């Protein structure tokens, strides 16, 4: 996709001037004046024509690109339909099938709303006929105990039925959703009747799973259950979601600076450690805090406060900038201490790339710069959090909270894009480890950099503001560090990869697989709708081209064992989320109309759209809603 290249110290034009001083002072001044007048106001463009995005791609071309995504979906779904249905997923190399998640036709259920979006009426009718027959059996046999993993079942199956109902208004889908919810309900009885256990047998009602759960799996059900309560008028579904958010809102989070940790005791309802994560094991819970507030017509103030606390801690303490390329990245913490959450690991996984979209969505839908309208003030929200108060105070000092959130969203999304563009396949690895400070270029036995520190992004933003205020600019930058940096890729040769002599990326790859994940194109879609900047569409187009080139098979699409070798080495699996999320977000990114406006629809973590609603006075009384 890209030729081999390196990080250059300055743009081509400035290199020419530097090496030819005889051109004269006048030419230099004219050139500098031209550059200044042509500067972008919103972001800094790529500095190489070779890798620059087109300034304006005609709308008809975007329609054609959307049609290519639609054809890719049809290729994938037809392969599933012909070779794997009614099983869960297609195995796109062997042309077999797998039942990795309950065996209820997962790909068909997960794809219903994508078919409705793309107006694939024949495929939708056949899929609906297939899934309408299920009674969600999971018999317990003497040979093997069968359990449905609650989290995945809710976001994929329950979310798929509910979204299909929301779009089509087919009562059969609502019936399926409620039938499934009732059969999952015993999962709440094992511990404190608030948080769900890991899994349940939908036939016997037997529940399985450890007492210590993770945040994502126990706090990513609110959207589905609140919409189910609205659609059916039944209080018990509302109570399931409300009890979860109440327990979390009343938690003591002093040790984690107001942010929800990863591990929780499902019996006591208390945190079980102080480790924090933006990505795996926690990601969808952070997402649902904002989206629960939006789904309920901006009335659930408990969720709003948790979202603001969470993003404040993330921006203040979990965003860092790499030393050379100035990549803005989000990390988790490890090495817990007695006082508070431990030091950052400087790992970043692909799942974390949902965060740019979430921050952009919050900036778009919340009055972040009007504390009165927001009903929250960072200066008081951080009071009593001890060591974390510094971060709240630093963020409160920023002239515009909305602008800071959008800067963070932009810089993170740019880094996520480069993780794709840097690879020979044009596709991103599942996890990287960022080089920090003076760290040696290599990994220690514990998987971390041998030495070095790390610079928090918000500290650099404050330094940039201070210098900009005193001098008018800072090194000519109109944006803070980590935002609008050089987006030229750094692609290693095969020899550099094998010998480990490749330099210039600022990161090492820890997990080489590409799993057809959606998080990056999800963020590009939201940023495109929020900012109107077409470069997000162009980034998505390059990723789609790489998907077509590297992962397509005769029957579908396959994940890659490594992103570092092209053509890609494929795996025999096509996850249902590739059709439910990745292709859906690409299609939404490329079409020119907006079928799911961000102020009217909310996507669950499996990209199933649900309509924003308001509780009626009768519902408020029936459900005993007291938080509005």
């Amino acid at each position: 996709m890209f030729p081999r290249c390196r990080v250059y110290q300055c743009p081509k034009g400035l290199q020419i001037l530097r090496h030819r001083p005889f051109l004269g002072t006048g030419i230099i001044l004219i050139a500098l004046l031209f550059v200044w007048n042509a500067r972008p106001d919103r972001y800094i463009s790529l500095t190489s024509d070779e890798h620059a995005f087109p300034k304006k791609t005609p709308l008809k071309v975007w329609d054609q690109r959307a049609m290519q995504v639609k054809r890719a979906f049809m290729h994938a779904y037809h392969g599933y339909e012909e070779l794997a249905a009614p099983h869960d997923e297609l195995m796109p190399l062997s042309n077999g099938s797998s039942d990795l998640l309950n065996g209820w036709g997962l790909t068909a259920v997960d794809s219903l709303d994508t078919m409705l979006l793309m107006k694939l009426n024949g495929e939708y009718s056949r899929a609906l006929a297939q899934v309408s027959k299920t009674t969600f059996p999971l018999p317990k046999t003497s040979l093997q105990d069968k359990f449905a993993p609650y989290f995945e079942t809710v976001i994929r199956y329950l979310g798929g039925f509910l979204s299909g109902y929301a779009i089509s208004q087919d009562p059969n889908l609502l019936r399926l959703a409620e039938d499934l919810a009732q059969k999952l309900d015993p999962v709440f009885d094992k511990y404190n009747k608030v948080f769900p256990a890991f899994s349940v047998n939908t036939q016997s009602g037997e529940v399985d799973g450890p007492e210590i759960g993770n945040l994502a799996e126990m706090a990513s059900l609110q959207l589905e259950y609140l919409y189910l309560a609205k659609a059916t008028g039944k209080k018990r579904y509302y109570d399931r979601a409300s009890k979860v958010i109440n327990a979390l809102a009343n938690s003591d989070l002093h040790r984690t600076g107001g942010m929800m940790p990863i591990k929780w005791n499902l019996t006591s309802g208390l945190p079980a450690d102080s480790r924090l994560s933006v990505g795996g094991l926690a990601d969808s819970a952070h997402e649902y805090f904002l989206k629960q507030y939006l789904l309920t017509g901006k009335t659930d103030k408990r969720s709003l406060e948790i979202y603001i606390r969470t993003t404040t801690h993330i921006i203040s303490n979990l965003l860092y900038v790499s030393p050379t390329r100035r990549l803005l990245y989000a990390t988790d913490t490890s090495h817990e201490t007695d006082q508070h959450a431990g030091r950052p690991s400087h790992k970043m996984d692909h799942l974390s790339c949902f965060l740019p979209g979430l921050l952009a969505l919050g900036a778009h839908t919340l009055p972040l710069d009007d504390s009165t309208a927001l009903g929250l003030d960072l200066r008081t929200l951080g009071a009593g959090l001890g060591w974390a108060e510094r971060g709240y105070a630093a963020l409160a000092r920023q002239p515009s909270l909305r602008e800071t959130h959008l800067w963070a969203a932009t810089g993170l999304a740019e880094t996520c894009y480069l993780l794709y563009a840097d690879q020979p396949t044009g596709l991103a690895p599942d996890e990287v480890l960022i080089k920090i400070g003076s760290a040696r270029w290599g990994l220690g036995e514990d998987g971390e950099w041998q030495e070095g520190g790390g610079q928090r992004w918000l500290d650099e933003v404050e330094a940039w503001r201070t210098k900009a205020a005193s001098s008018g600019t800072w090194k000519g930058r109109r944006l803070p560090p980590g935002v609008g940096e050089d987006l030229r890729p750094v692609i290693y040769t095969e020899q550099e990869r094998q010998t480990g002599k490749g330099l210039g990326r600022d990161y090492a790859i820890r997990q080489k697989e590409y799993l057809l994940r959606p998080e990056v194109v999800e963020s590009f879609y939201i940023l495109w709708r929020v900012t109107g900047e077409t470069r997000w569409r162009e980034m998505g187009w390059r990723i789609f081209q790489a998907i077509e080139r590297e992962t397509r098979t005769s029957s579908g699409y396959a994940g890659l064992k490594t992103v570092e070798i092209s053509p890609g080495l494929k795996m025999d699996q096509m996850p249902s989320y590739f059709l439910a999320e990745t292709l859906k977000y690409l299609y939404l990114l490329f079409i020119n109309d907006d079928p799911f406006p961000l102020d009217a629809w909310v996507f669950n973590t499996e990209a199933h759209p649900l309509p924003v609603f308001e509780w009626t006075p009768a519902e408020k009384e029936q459900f005993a809603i007291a938080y509005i």
Side-chain angles (χ1 to χ4, degrees):
M1 184 173 177
F2 300 107
R4 298 185 181 97
C5 59
R6 290 290 175 274
V7 176
Y8 295 88
Q9 297 302 315
C10 55
K12 281 184 179 178
L14 296 185
Q15 289 178 6
I16 293 172
L17 292 175
R18 184 184 65 188
H19 292 295
R20 297 186 182 181
F22 56 83
L23 289 177
T25 304
I27 296 177
I28 294 175
L29 291 175
I30 292 173
L32 291 175
L33 180 63
F34 174 79
V35 171
W36 175 256
N37 288 333
R39 70 195 187 282
D41 291 330
R42 307 278 312 264
Y43 63 90
I44 298 175
S45 300
L46 296 177
T47 53
S48 168
D49 291 340
E50 186 178 12
H51 304 294
F53 303 122
K55 292 184 178 180
K56 188 173 183 180
T57 299
L59 294 181
K60 65 179 181 180
V61 173
W62 288 114
D63 285 334
Q64 294 167 359
R65 291 176 176 180
M67 182 57 65
Q68 290 190 50
V69 177
K70 182 176 179 177
R71 286 196 288 267
F73 176 90
M74 294 170 65
H75 174 66
Y77 190 77
H78 289 166
Y80 162 78
E81 192 175 33
E82 294 169 9
L83 300 169
H87 297 280
D88 281 346
E89 293 178 343
L90 170 70
M91 300 173 70
L93 300 184
S94 63
N95 291 336
S97 63
S98 64
D99 283 322
L100 296 179
L101 193 61
N102 311 340
W104 302 333
L106 175 62
T107 296
V109 177
D110 231 359
S111 301
L112 289 172
D113 52 14
T114 310
M115 297 175 201
L116 289 168
L117 168 66
M118 295 180 176
K119 296 181 173 56
L120 296 173
N121 298 329
E123 287 81 355
Y124 173 77
S125 296
R126 295 192 299 272
L128 186 62
Q130 172 190 324
V131 302
S132 293
K133 302 173 184 177
T134 186
T135 57
F136 310 109
L138 274 179
K140 181 178 178 181
T141 69
S142 58
L143 298 177
Q144 181 181 11
D145 292 342
K146 296 184 178 180
F147 293 90
Y150 178 76
F151 166 70
E152 295 288 353
T153 301
V154 166
I155 66 172
R156 300 203 205 190
Y157 283 106
L158 186 60
F161 288 136
L162 289 173
S163 181
Y165 167 73
I167 298 170
S168 70
Q169 292 297 295
D170 185 340
N172 189 39
L173 290 173
L174 183 59
R175 174 192 62 79
L176 287 165
E178 188 169 12
D179 185 23
L180 176 57
Q182 291 174 354
K183 292 186 175 181
L184 293 174
D185 206 59
V187 81
F188 292 97
D189 295 334
K190 185 174 179 66
Y191 295 111
N192 65 356
K193 298 188 182 297
V194 174
F195 296 128
F198 177 77
S199 62
V200 61
N201 184 292
T202 50
Q203 191 163 359
S204 68
E206 186 175 356
V207 176
D208 187 45
E211 187 177 17
I212 303 300
N214 67 64
L215 183 64
E217 292 176 349
M218 58 181 255
S220 301
L221 58 95
Q222 301 94 292
L223 298 187
E224 294 82 3
Y225 277 72
L226 287 173
Y227 183 69
L228 185 58
K230 179 69 176 179
T232 63
K234 294 180 180 179
K235 185 177 185 296
R236 63 175 174 270
Y237 302 125
Y238 169 83
D239 287 342
R240 290 303 185 202
S242 184
K243 287 180 179 179
V244 167
I245 204 67
N246 273 336
L248 294 175
N250 294 325
S251 300
D252 183 354
L253 302 174
H254 285 75
R255 293 184 66 194
T256 54
M259 184 174 172
M260 301 288 171
I262 295 173
K263 295 296 183 181
W264 291 72
N265 185 297
L266 301 180
T267 298
S268 67
L270 300 175
D273 72 2
S274 297
R275 292 182 298 121
L276 302 174
S277 175
V278 173
L281 305 181
D283 49 354
S284 55
H286 303 321
E287 180 184 355
Y288 275 32
F289 298 143
L290 172 64
K291 292 183 175 181
Q292 179 171 345
Y293 177 70
L294 299 178
L295 184 70
T296 57
K298 299 183 179 180
T299 57
D300 189 343
K301 296 296 179 65
R302 305 163 304 179
S303 295
L304 173 62
E305 180 171 336
I306 295 173
Y307 173 75
I308 296 297
R309 284 185 182 274
T310 299
T311 53
T312 297
H313 189 86
I314 290 172
I315 292 173
S316 302
N317 294 283
L318 297 181
L319 298 190
Y320 285 77
V321 182
S322 73
T324 303
R325 295 175 84 185
R326 315 303 288 150
L327 303 177
L328 177 59
Y329 63 96
T331 188
D332 57 13
T333 65
S334 59
H335 300 289
E336 180 183 356
T337 70
D338 292 336
Q339 288 76 31
H340 53 74
R343 61 187 174 94
S345 69
H346 297 286
K347 294 182 295 184
M348 182 174 177
D349 58 23
H350 194 288
L351 293 171
S352 300
C353 286
F354 88 99
L355 182 60
L358 183 67
L359 291 172
L361 179 63
H364 177 69
T365 55
L366 303 177
L368 293 177
D369 289 334
D370 186 345
S371 59
T372 300
L374 190 64
L376 298 170
D377 190 330
L378 290 185
R379 291 170 294 185
T380 58
L381 199 61
L385 289 178
W387 65 275
E389 289 187 43
R390 172 177 172 269
Y392 282 76
L395 198 56
R397 285 194 295 269
Q398 304 307 308
S400 170
L401 184 61
R402 179 180 186 274
E403 181 181 58
T404 304
H405 277 231
L406 278 176
W407 279 343
T410 299
L412 288 168
E414 290 169 343
T415 297
C416 291
Y417 167 72
L418 283 174
L419 292 178
Y420 277 75
D422 284 350
Q423 314 310 323
T425 56
L427 299 169
D430 212 47
E431 186 180 287
V432 298
L433 186 64
I434 310 294
K435 179 181 180 182
I436 50 177
S438 60
R440 293 198 296 272
W441 191 251
L443 303 180
E445 292 181 359
D446 62 353
E448 298 198 8
W449 295 105
Q450 297 276 12
E451 56 185 41
Q455 187 65 37
R456 274 194 295 259
W457 178 65
L458 192 58
D459 293 338
E460 293 216 2
V461 170
E462 289 208 283
W464 168 76
R465 284 197 183 279
T466 300
K467 293 181 180 180
S470 62
S471 62
T473 61
W474 183 31
K475 299 180 180 179
R477 291 192 57 84
R478 295 168 56 81
L479 290 173
V483 185
E485 301 286 355
D486 189 350
L487 294 187
R488 286 173 294 182
V490 178
I491 303 177
Y492 296 156
T493 66
E494 180 62 14
Q495 181 181 10
E496 288 172 328
R497 184 187 73 83
Q498 290 186 0
T499 61
K501 293 182 178 180
L503 298 174
R505 280 186 179 170
D506 271 12
Y507 64 84
I509 296 177
R510 283 175 57 97
Q511 295 184 14
K512 301 178 181 181
E513 302 87 357
Y514 171 68
L515 302 177
L516 298 170
R517 292 197 190 275
E519 290 78 20
V520 174
V521 292
E522 172 187 1
S523 286
F524 290 172
Y525 159 65
I526 297 174
L527 279 161
W528 151 239
R529 289 302 178 188
V530 169
T531 69
E533 295 175 4
T534 57
R535 63 181 182 139
W536 303 116
R537 304 179 93 180
E538 298 291 353
M539 290 179 188
W541 172 242
R542 292 184 180 183
I543 290 174
F544 176 69
Q545 288 178 301
I547 290 172
E548 282 287 294
R549 182 181 64 248
E550 301 288 343
T551 74
R552 187 181 176 107
T553 73
S554 61
S555 59
Y557 293 82
L560 302 183
K561 296 178 181 179
T562 174
V563 298
E564 296 186 288
I565 300 175
S566 179
L569 304 176
K570 298 179 178 66
M571 298 183 288
D572 200 11
Q573 184 178 8
M574 185 177 75
S576 70
Y577 60 69
F578 176 68
L579 293 88
E581 301 185 73
T582 308
L583 293 179
K584 179 186 290 153
Y585 280 126
L586 283 166
Y587 185 76
L588 288 170
L589 183 61
F590 297 159
I591 59 176
N592 293 305
D593 58 346
D594 190 6
F596 300 120
L598 296 178
D599 58 352
W601 292 81
V602 171
F603 291 86
N604 88 334
T605 196
E606 189 75 7
H608 295 308
L610 301 171
V612 170
F613 62 82
E614 294 184 1
W615 301 116
T616 66
E619 288 168 337
K620 293 177 186 178
E621 181 177 358
Q622 176 190 359
F623 298 163
I625 299 175
Y627 56 76
I628 298 175

